[in-house]
Amino acid sequence: MFYWVMKRIFLGPVLKLLFRPWVKGLDNIPAEGAAIIASNHLSFSDSIFMPLMVRRPVVFLAKSEYFTGTGIKGRLTALFFRLTNQLPMDRSGGAASAASLSAGMDVLTHGGLLGIYPEGTRSPDSKLYRGKVGVARLALQAGVPVIPVAMIGTDKVQPIGKRLPNIRRIGMIFGEPLDFSSYQDQAEDRGTQRTVADRIMLELQRLSGQEYVDEYAAVVKLRLAGKPGEAAAAAEPLASPPAGGDDSGGEPAAH
């Protein structure tokens, strides 16, 4: 109820008036049935503007830090995210990320729309970074289409570190659904997951026009923060390793 009231009566109309969002390809979202909406990630406000323009409710996997803040601000932030159909996503990799993705699978199993940022974190410089394979694993296991969406201009509205947004027009382009049903029997294959994730990112690049960097955004952020030694932790594997193998060098979970 809170989600609907905020979207249709209070917050939604105000945001539409101020930011005048334009949308292309909205008809590519099915009127019913499960699907994954995979978006580039330029700004915190992506999770607000995109669901605002989609007729159906969209449940997002959001980083778990938004749900664990302390103090009044932290508690209000956690409450807002819970009331706006967002689920905590543990990005530490391995079993923790896999458990978080199971919540996303529940959304798809019940015929809902699940929003995911394949890059796993916001772009530090408005470029498009390598997608993590969690989105591919979910799509293959659930047997659902992936709808790519390119957010346009949200990095100018609310750059990283800026609390109050700039009032300017933003947009979004929804691409045609991507069908990966031919790979469904290879859902646990790491190479197949990588192929699917790369295909999704290729489509996001085409729609957004962003420069693509074949590196994880989280790794770049750690390097920019002077923490190169922690970069490996940002790329822990999610997919099951080959028989007799280990998890080293695998792919990380999606966010």
Side-chain angles (χ1 to χ4, degrees), residues 11 19 30 41 56 68 78 106 138 144 198 254:
L11 187 60
F19 297 95
H41 200 10
R56 297 174 56 190
T68 58
D106 288 341
L138 275 175
V144 300
D198 287 347

Side-chain angles (χ1 to χ4, degrees), residues 79-117:
L79 179 63
F80 174 81
F81 273 81
R82 289 192 177 95
L83 292 176
T84 52
N85 282 4
Q86 304 203 40
L87 301 173
M89 174 68 199
D90 190 313
R91 301 183 299 171
S92 61
S97 293
S100 295
L101 286 178
S102 68
M105 181 63 74
D106 288 341
V107 174
L108 297 173
T109 300
H110 289 88
L113 293 179
L114 181 68
I116 295 181
Y117 298 115

